Amino acid sequence: MSRKKLNIGLFGFGCVGFGLYEVLQKTPGLKANIKNICVKDRNKTREIGVENFTFDKNDIFNDPEINVIVELIDDADAAYEIVTTALKSGKAVVSANKKMIAEHFEELLELQRKHNVPLLYEAACCASMPIIRNLEEYYDNDLLESIQGIVNGSTNYILTKTFKENLSYDEALKQAQEKGFAESNPILDTGGFDAKYKLLILLAHSFGYIAKPEDLLNIGINNIGGLELKYAREKGLKIKLVAQAFKNNDGNISAFVIPKFVDTEDRLFNVDDVFNGVITKTSFADEQFFVGKGAGAHPTASAVLSDISALSYDYQYEY
Ligand code: HSE
């Protein structure tokens, strides 16, 4: 299959942006180069010499040679502006911004249809674990009955460290931040919001059900205290933050994010640290279990890389 050459306009050069830069250096087989990088902070020292940097987003939007926009910034509102402008100008987009996608799903779908241009976001959901592509392709004709799992790396890391190593909640959160796992506003992780955004993306690709963040309940791990940890230890259980969606008998979908006690029989029991784990149940395949690193520079960049590669042969989601 012949592949298109891709010229990338990259927005954001933080943890994942730099990770993508490194990963692309090591994958010369892919005909994709970063032509220009738009960053916000003029005072930051950047340790690469060869790439172009700009502070003006129009340098990227107005460059006719740039055919892919990769959006890896932290701010969901600014990401929305970038992604919608790109789609309207007919440039394909890769984004890792789950909050932005979950909040604007309907409109983003409409823009893709109207301008016939793809938006891919594998990195927005469970980082390195290729769950969206599996839901889109592998299960295309096999009906999903339920999907559940651990979809937030930071909270799983915090729960693992407090449980196994007796680290304090604050120390474990600090480590998750230092390792680049946590959101810049960590309440998005600990309050279960990040998991809910990912669940909303999974719902769209599992059941074709498009809901808004305010439609789903999320309870985070921030209220888990010594009592719950003591109970779990005594009973040989662990606590996991689980996102769950399933089809009821009446055909309606239930979906929510809650912390759960899990026992050793549960597949999620051994999904620790920054790993994510998702269990799908379908009509024909029955249960399947996916595991992979759910946060961090290279695992997230690997999903972005996979989307870039998919765009080189004009892949797009069918929803
Ligand atoms: N803060 C997110 C997490 C990053 O910890 O899962 C990856 O989406």
Side-chain angles (χ1 to χ4, degrees):
M1 192 186 301
S2 76
R3 292 196 157 199
K4 221 158 69 185
K5 182 174 182 320
L6 301 175
N7 289 313
I8 298 168
L10 174 63
F11 283 86
F13 205 63
C15 175
V16 182
F18 186 61
L20 177 67
Y21 170 79
E22 289 184 316
V23 160
L24 278 171
Q25 304 298 304
K26 293 178 185 164
T27 47
L30 183 64
K31 279 194 248 145
N33 79 295
I34 300 177
K35 181 144 193 260
N36 209 343
I37 305 172
C38 185
V39 288
K40 198 173 58 179
D41 189 348
R42 288 170 190 263
N43 300 319
K44 214 160 159 179
T45 320
R46 297 184 172 86
E47 286 165 8
I48 57 166
V50 288
E51 306 300 320
N52 290 326
F53 281 105
T54 179
F55 303 102
D56 181 357
K57 55 186 188 310
N58 290 320
D59 285 347
I60 289 184
F61 291 131
N62 295 337
D63 183 337
E65 285 184 2
I66 290 182
N67 51 3
V68 179
I69 302 294
V70 177
E71 176 282 304
L72 300 174
I73 64 170
D74 195 40
D75 176 339
D77 294 334
Y80 170 76
E81 287 303 320
I82 291 165
V83 170
T84 50
T85 308
L87 293 174
K88 285 176 194 165
S89 60
K91 294 188 195 288
V93 181
V94 176
S95 170
N97 202 309
K98 51 262 156 145
K99 183 171 192 286
M100 184 275 296
I101 293 163
E103 283 174 346
H104 301 282
F105 222 117
E106 202 82 67
E107 186 190 345
L108 293 171
L109 260 177
E110 194 46 45
L111 283 174
Q112 289 171 77
R113 286 195 194 110
K114 188 167 167 198
H115 299 277
N116 189 26
V117 64
L119 162 64
L120 303 184
Y121 40 81
E122 189 67 68
C125 198
C126 304
S128 69
M129 185 204 296
I131 190 68
I132 300 176
R133 207 82 62 72
N134 269 297
L135 291 170
E136 277 287 308
E137 292 179 34
Y138 186 84
Y139 297 134
D140 194 22
N141 297 294
D142 190 357
L143 295 182
L144 248 287
E145 291 171 12
S146 68
I147 182 160
Q148 60 157 319
I150 296 166
V151 298
N152 181 271
S154 300
T155 47
N156 206 32
Y157 183 86
I158 294 168
L159 289 169
T160 305
K161 294 288 164 184
T162 49
F163 192 80
K164 271 196 190 162
E165 295 172 24
N166 255 329
L167 236 59
S168 73
Y169 178 87
D170 289 342
E171 178 54 32
L173 171 59
K174 195 165 147 262
Q175 285 189 9
Q177 288 174 307
E178 283 164 1
K179 287 173 183 285
F181 301 157
E183 301 299 302
S184 54
N185 178 2
I187 189 70
L188 293 177
D189 296 298
T190 57
F193 297 95
D194 179 84
K196 177 163 77 171
Y197 301 141
K198 291 167 180 166
L199 182 59
L200 285 160
I201 294 174
L202 292 175
L203 273 173
H205 291 277
S206 308
F207 300 109
Y209 178 61
I210 295 174
K212 292 194 173 336
E214 56 272 26
D215 297 332
L216 304 192
L217 175 71
N218 57 296
I219 300 175
I221 65 159
N222 34 1
N223 289 319
I224 295 173
L227 270 181
E228 288 86 3
L229 289 175
K230 183 166 174 281
Y231 177 82
R233 280 198 191 98
E234 281 170 6
K235 302 277 180 198
L237 307 169
K238 286 182 186 171
I239 303 172
K240 297 291 179 190
L241 184 67
V242 178
Q244 242 172 300
F246 52 89
K247 209 172 233 174
N248 298 308
N249 290 338
D250 61 7
N252 287 326
I253 313 280
S254 296
F256 44 83
V257 175
I258 44 162
K260 269 175 75 174
F261 288 115
V262 295
D263 62 23
T264 52
E265 298 291 299
D266 194 312
R267 288 196 175 90
L268 299 179
F269 188 86
N270 288 320
V271 179
D272 280 338
D273 295 301
V274 74
F275 282 87
N276 285 181
V278 169
I279 302 158
T280 53
K281 185 162 185 350
T282 69
S283 305
F284 307 133
D286 202 6
E287 278 197 3
Q288 283 175 307
F289 180 36
F290 300 85
V291 189
K293 283 194 174 164
H298 282 182
T300 311
S302 84
V304 177
L305 182 72
S306 169
D307 280 350
I308 292 171
S309 171
L311 286 178
S312 74
Y313 53 88
D314 287 324
Y315 178 83
Q316 69 189 93
Y317 301 140
E318 291 193 356
Y319 295 97

